[in-house]
Amino acid sequence: MNLLLLEEADFIAADRVVLRDRRLTHMQEVHRVAVGDSLRVGRIGGLMGRAEVLHLEAGEAQLQVSLDQPPPTKLPLTLILALPRPKMLRRVLQTIATMGVPKLVLVNSYRVEKSFWQTPFLEPEAIREQLILGLEQTRDTVLPEVIIEKRFKPFVEDRLPTISADTLGLVGHPGSYPACPRAVDAPVTLAIGPEGGWIPYEIDLLGKSGLQPVQLGERILRVETAVTALLARLF
Amino acid sequence: MNLLLLEEADFIAADRVVLRDRRLTHMQEVHRVAVGDSLRVGRIGGLMGRAEVLHLEAGEAQLQVSLDQPPPTKLPLTLILALPRPKMLRRVLQTIATMGVPKLVLVNSYRVEKSFWQTPFLEPEAIREQLILGLEQTRDTVLPEVIIEKRFKPFVEDRLPTISADTLGLVGHPGSYPACPRAVDAPVTLAIGPEGGWIPYEIDLLGKSGLQPVQLGERILRVETAVTALLARLF
């Protein structure tokens, strides 16, 4: 945790918060803070700054907060991801929050196992928990927007064209396609497939909605690694 | 598992292998292979190709092997990594094998917790297990070389200059340094620090041995993400 994120409900005054949950445990057990210590904090969706520990007890900490720095800018990107398997989903949510993705669409694909849609990790609270971990890691306060699209065709045909309009539309896909471009100077819409890749019908439909295939070489990366590698190349 | 890796001990003839371990379980439970099916295989350290299932029983499979393709090329890189915490170490070993890193040096640093050096995940067999998983993911047969350097100063002063000679020497480090270069056309020696980063003394010593700091922006990435992001930018 490189940034302690404060929720609205933590504030008991404009510059005063009370913490009682895992963040208190983390402060005490990992950072071993004492009264008078100063910590990096951020208000969810708002500014970042520092907090001084005013009181500290077993079950509660009170901090005086001073927020004056904007969070880092996000990438100019909408990321579309075929729903990964549940364990990978949690890691990917952290990763996209860490990398500064502002908007993630989780979409169905022919090679997504149906059972993946049943995971409790898709509950809003479970998604938020992983995003918060990513923001704490990277020092950011703004939660990415996560949209769930259980049906591929209506999403790609009806809603994707609006998303991809005036952006560089790309699909990460192995094969004899152009290499993924580097250091692009435009907003991007990027789709990344499931393990085993998109099927030709899906590539076709994504293409009609403005997303063209690009490749990263012959190695087959796990989804989390592919996301990081593609974003590091693009931006 | 995108490639079934064959060990020397599996071969009962030049073109015939017998499998009995987790690879057999995986073939049966995940790929649900039957006699006559063809699988992608590779010989550790050697060629890749296909194998046909000749016999299949509960505890044993016999495959006829035909190997004719070279594995993918590795990156022109020596990666130096401050020893990550054990759980991250396992993931990083998979990641570097997946990304095509040929040589990894795990080194001590001031901010590496001493207890990390006690982990059983540093045993040669445990390291090999993770590397194999990475090779199976990416379809490669050549195990990266992993070197363990428990003392920072003798490694950096005595052995690093030889490693970094005639390479682009870089240290991933946050701060007001040049941005990490893109698509370099030279062999690289890259050092990545622990959580919390290198200390100034270490940056200084790495610099004297030919490694100059470069940064990836203000976001603080986990080690695994930083490795992937830096390699995707550099190559």
Short mmCIF file of all heavy atoms in Angstrom, two decimals, chain B residues 64-94:
data_model
loop_
_atom_site.label_atom_id
_atom_site.label_comp_id
_atom_site.label_asym_id
_atom_site.label_seq_id
_atom_site.Cartn_x
_atom_site.Cartn_y
_atom_site.Cartn_z
N GLN B 64 4.29 -40.53 -29.86
CA GLN B 64 5.27 -40.53 -30.95
C GLN B 64 5.57 -39.07 -31.30
O GLN B 64 4.65 -38.30 -31.59
CB GLN B 64 4.70 -41.25 -32.16
CG GLN B 64 5.54 -41.08 -33.40
CD GLN B 64 5.87 -42.41 -34.04
OE1 GLN B 64 5.46 -43.47 -33.55
NE2 GLN B 64 6.61 -42.38 -35.11
N VAL B 65 6.85 -38.74 -31.31
CA VAL B 65 7.25 -37.34 -31.34
C VAL B 65 7.94 -36.99 -32.64
O VAL B 65 8.75 -37.76 -33.14
CB VAL B 65 8.22 -37.07 -30.16
CG1 VAL B 65 8.78 -35.68 -30.22
CG2 VAL B 65 7.51 -37.32 -28.83
N SER B 66 7.61 -35.81 -33.18
CA SER B 66 8.27 -35.32 -34.38
C SER B 66 8.64 -33.85 -34.16
O SER B 66 7.74 -33.00 -34.07
CB SER B 66 7.32 -35.51 -35.56
OG SER B 66 7.73 -34.69 -36.61
N LEU B 67 9.93 -33.59 -34.03
CA LEU B 67 10.39 -32.24 -33.66
C LEU B 67 11.17 -31.61 -34.80
O LEU B 67 12.16 -32.17 -35.25
CB LEU B 67 11.28 -32.33 -32.41
CG LEU B 67 10.64 -32.98 -31.18
CD1 LEU B 67 11.67 -33.16 -30.07
CD2 LEU B 67 9.46 -32.17 -30.68
N ASP B 68 10.74 -30.42 -35.26
CA ASP B 68 11.44 -29.82 -36.39
C ASP B 68 11.50 -28.30 -36.35
O ASP B 68 12.11 -27.68 -37.22
CB ASP B 68 10.79 -30.27 -37.69
CG ASP B 68 9.29 -30.00 -37.70
OD1 ASP B 68 8.78 -29.41 -36.71
OD2 ASP B 68 8.63 -30.37 -38.68
N GLN B 69 10.84 -27.67 -35.34
CA GLN B 69 10.86 -26.19 -35.32
C GLN B 69 11.76 -25.66 -34.21
O GLN B 69 11.69 -26.14 -33.08
CB GLN B 69 9.45 -25.64 -35.04
CG GLN B 69 8.39 -26.06 -36.01
CD GLN B 69 7.03 -25.98 -35.34
OE1 GLN B 69 6.76 -25.07 -34.56
NE2 GLN B 69 6.18 -26.94 -35.63
N PRO B 70 12.54 -24.63 -34.52
CA PRO B 70 13.35 -24.02 -33.46
C PRO B 70 12.45 -23.25 -32.50
O PRO B 70 11.39 -22.75 -32.89
CB PRO B 70 14.27 -23.07 -34.22
CG PRO B 70 13.54 -22.74 -35.48
CD PRO B 70 12.72 -23.96 -35.82
N PRO B 71 12.84 -23.13 -31.23
CA PRO B 71 12.08 -22.30 -30.30
C PRO B 71 12.22 -20.83 -30.68
O PRO B 71 13.11 -20.47 -31.45
CB PRO B 71 12.74 -22.60 -28.96
CG PRO B 71 14.13 -23.04 -29.29
CD PRO B 71 14.04 -23.73 -30.63
N PRO B 72 11.33 -19.97 -30.16
CA PRO B 72 11.43 -18.54 -30.49
C PRO B 72 12.74 -17.95 -29.94
O PRO B 72 13.30 -18.48 -28.98
CB PRO B 72 10.23 -17.92 -29.78
CG PRO B 72 9.83 -18.90 -28.72
CD PRO B 72 10.22 -20.25 -29.22
N THR B 73 13.20 -16.89 -30.57
CA THR B 73 14.45 -16.27 -30.10
C THR B 73 14.21 -15.58 -28.76
O THR B 73 13.11 -15.14 -28.45
CB THR B 73 14.96 -15.22 -31.10
OG1 THR B 73 13.89 -14.31 -31.38
CG2 THR B 73 15.42 -15.84 -32.39
N LYS B 74 15.27 -15.51 -27.97
CA LYS B 74 15.21 -14.83 -26.68
C LYS B 74 15.50 -13.34 -26.88
O LYS B 74 16.03 -12.92 -27.91
CB LYS B 74 16.25 -15.41 -25.73
CG LYS B 74 16.08 -16.89 -25.43
CD LYS B 74 15.04 -17.14 -24.37
CE LYS B 74 15.11 -18.57 -23.86
NZ LYS B 74 13.91 -18.95 -23.08
N LEU B 75 15.19 -12.56 -25.87
CA LEU B 75 15.55 -11.14 -25.89
C LEU B 75 17.06 -10.99 -25.65
O LEU B 75 17.64 -11.78 -24.90
CB LEU B 75 14.80 -10.39 -24.78
CG LEU B 75 13.27 -10.44 -24.85
CD1 LEU B 75 12.67 -9.82 -23.60
CD2 LEU B 75 12.77 -9.72 -26.09
N PRO B 76 17.69 -9.98 -26.25
CA PRO B 76 19.12 -9.75 -26.01
C PRO B 76 19.31 -9.00 -24.68
O PRO B 76 19.57 -7.80 -24.66
CB PRO B 76 19.54 -8.89 -27.21
CG PRO B 76 18.29 -8.15 -27.59
CD PRO B 76 17.13 -9.03 -27.23
N LEU B 77 19.19 -9.73 -23.59
CA LEU B 77 19.01 -9.07 -22.29
C LEU B 77 19.59 -9.88 -21.16
O LEU B 77 19.43 -11.10 -21.10
CB LEU B 77 17.50 -8.92 -22.04
CG LEU B 77 17.05 -8.42 -20.67
CD1 LEU B 77 17.34 -6.94 -20.51
CD2 LEU B 77 15.57 -8.68 -20.46
N THR B 78 20.23 -9.19 -20.21
CA THR B 78 20.43 -9.74 -18.88
C THR B 78 19.58 -8.91 -17.94
O THR B 78 19.72 -7.68 -17.89
CB THR B 78 21.91 -9.69 -18.44
OG1 THR B 78 22.67 -10.47 -19.36
CG2 THR B 78 22.09 -10.23 -17.04
N LEU B 79 18.69 -9.57 -17.20
CA LEU B 79 17.81 -8.88 -16.25
C LEU B 79 18.33 -9.10 -14.84
O LEU B 79 18.56 -10.24 -14.43
CB LEU B 79 16.39 -9.42 -16.38
CG LEU B 79 15.34 -8.80 -15.45
CD1 LEU B 79 15.16 -7.31 -15.73
CD2 LEU B 79 14.01 -9.53 -15.59
N ILE B 80 18.53 -7.99 -14.12
CA ILE B 80 18.98 -8.05 -12.73
C ILE B 80 17.83 -7.59 -11.87
O ILE B 80 17.30 -6.49 -12.07
CB ILE B 80 20.22 -7.15 -12.53
CG1 ILE B 80 21.36 -7.68 -13.41
CG2 ILE B 80 20.62 -7.09 -11.06
CD1 ILE B 80 22.41 -6.63 -13.71
N LEU B 81 17.45 -8.43 -10.92
CA LEU B 81 16.24 -8.14 -10.14
C LEU B 81 16.58 -8.25 -8.67
O LEU B 81 17.13 -9.26 -8.22
CB LEU B 81 15.21 -9.21 -10.51
CG LEU B 81 13.74 -8.87 -10.50
CD1 LEU B 81 13.44 -7.69 -11.40
CD2 LEU B 81 12.95 -10.09 -10.94
N ALA B 82 16.25 -7.19 -7.92
CA ALA B 82 16.34 -7.32 -6.46
C ALA B 82 15.36 -8.42 -6.05
O ALA B 82 14.23 -8.46 -6.54
CB ALA B 82 15.97 -6.00 -5.79
N LEU B 83 15.78 -9.32 -5.19
CA LEU B 83 14.96 -10.49 -4.86
C LEU B 83 13.57 -10.06 -4.39
O LEU B 83 13.44 -9.38 -3.37
CB LEU B 83 15.63 -11.32 -3.76
CG LEU B 83 14.86 -12.58 -3.36
CD1 LEU B 83 14.87 -13.60 -4.50
CD2 LEU B 83 15.44 -13.20 -2.09
N PRO B 84 12.51 -10.45 -5.12
CA PRO B 84 11.16 -10.10 -4.68
C PRO B 84 10.70 -11.00 -3.53
O PRO B 84 11.32 -12.02 -3.26
CB PRO B 84 10.28 -10.36 -5.92
CG PRO B 84 11.21 -10.76 -7.03
CD PRO B 84 12.50 -11.17 -6.40
N ARG B 85 9.57 -10.62 -2.89
CA ARG B 85 9.01 -11.49 -1.85
C ARG B 85 8.61 -12.82 -2.48
O ARG B 85 8.31 -12.89 -3.68
CB ARG B 85 7.85 -10.81 -1.14
CG ARG B 85 6.66 -10.45 -2.02
CD ARG B 85 5.57 -9.77 -1.20
NE ARG B 85 6.02 -8.54 -0.58
CZ ARG B 85 6.09 -8.32 0.74
NH1 ARG B 85 5.74 -9.25 1.60
NH2 ARG B 85 6.52 -7.18 1.21
N PRO B 86 8.63 -13.90 -1.68
CA PRO B 86 8.52 -15.25 -2.26
C PRO B 86 7.35 -15.45 -3.22
O PRO B 86 7.53 -16.03 -4.29
CB PRO B 86 8.39 -16.13 -1.01
CG PRO B 86 9.17 -15.40 0.04
CD PRO B 86 8.93 -13.95 -0.23
N LYS B 87 6.16 -14.97 -2.86
CA LYS B 87 5.00 -15.20 -3.72
C LYS B 87 5.21 -14.50 -5.07
O LYS B 87 4.88 -15.05 -6.13
CB LYS B 87 3.76 -14.64 -3.02
CG LYS B 87 2.46 -15.20 -3.53
CD LYS B 87 1.28 -14.65 -2.72
CE LYS B 87 0.05 -14.58 -3.59
NZ LYS B 87 -1.05 -13.83 -2.94
N MET B 88 5.74 -13.29 -5.02
CA MET B 88 6.01 -12.54 -6.25
C MET B 88 7.14 -13.20 -7.04
O MET B 88 7.10 -13.23 -8.27
CB MET B 88 6.36 -11.09 -5.88
CG MET B 88 6.71 -10.20 -7.05
SD MET B 88 5.36 -10.01 -8.25
CE MET B 88 4.37 -8.73 -7.45
N LEU B 89 8.13 -13.75 -6.33
CA LEU B 89 9.25 -14.42 -7.00
C LEU B 89 8.74 -15.50 -7.96
O LEU B 89 9.18 -15.58 -9.11
CB LEU B 89 10.19 -15.04 -5.96
CG LEU B 89 11.27 -15.99 -6.50
CD1 LEU B 89 12.24 -15.25 -7.42
CD2 LEU B 89 12.02 -16.67 -5.36
N ARG B 90 7.80 -16.30 -7.49
CA ARG B 90 7.29 -17.40 -8.33
C ARG B 90 6.65 -16.84 -9.60
O ARG B 90 6.88 -17.34 -10.70
CB ARG B 90 6.26 -18.21 -7.56
CG ARG B 90 6.82 -18.82 -6.30
CD ARG B 90 5.76 -19.61 -5.57
NE ARG B 90 5.53 -20.88 -6.23
CZ ARG B 90 4.46 -21.64 -6.04
NH1 ARG B 90 3.50 -21.25 -5.25
NH2 ARG B 90 4.34 -22.79 -6.67
N ARG B 91 5.84 -15.79 -9.43
CA ARG B 91 5.17 -15.21 -10.58
C ARG B 91 6.18 -14.57 -11.53
O ARG B 91 6.06 -14.68 -12.76
CB ARG B 91 4.14 -14.17 -10.14
CG ARG B 91 2.98 -14.78 -9.36
CD ARG B 91 1.63 -14.34 -9.94
NE ARG B 91 1.51 -12.90 -10.00
CZ ARG B 91 1.00 -12.15 -9.03
NH1 ARG B 91 0.53 -12.72 -7.94
NH2 ARG B 91 0.93 -10.86 -9.15
N VAL B 92 7.19 -13.90 -10.96
CA VAL B 92 8.19 -13.23 -11.80
C VAL B 92 8.98 -14.25 -12.60
O VAL B 92 9.29 -14.02 -13.77
CB VAL B 92 9.12 -12.35 -10.93
CG1 VAL B 92 10.35 -11.95 -11.70
CG2 VAL B 92 8.37 -11.11 -10.43
N LEU B 93 9.28 -15.39 -11.99
CA LEU B 93 10.02 -16.42 -12.72
C LEU B 93 9.21 -16.91 -13.93
O LEU B 93 9.75 -17.07 -15.02
CB LEU B 93 10.37 -17.60 -11.79
CG LEU B 93 11.44 -17.31 -10.74
CD1 LEU B 93 11.50 -18.42 -9.70
CD2 LEU B 93 12.82 -17.12 -11.39
N GLN B 94 7.91 -17.11 -13.73
CA GLN B 94 7.06 -17.48 -14.87
C GLN B 94 7.06 -16.38 -15.92
O GLN B 94 7.16 -16.65 -17.12
CB GLN B 94 5.62 -17.71 -14.40
CG GLN B 94 5.39 -19.04 -13.71
CD GLN B 94 3.89 -19.31 -13.53
OE1 GLN B 94 3.07 -19.01 -14.39
NE2 GLN B 94 3.55 -19.90 -12.40
#
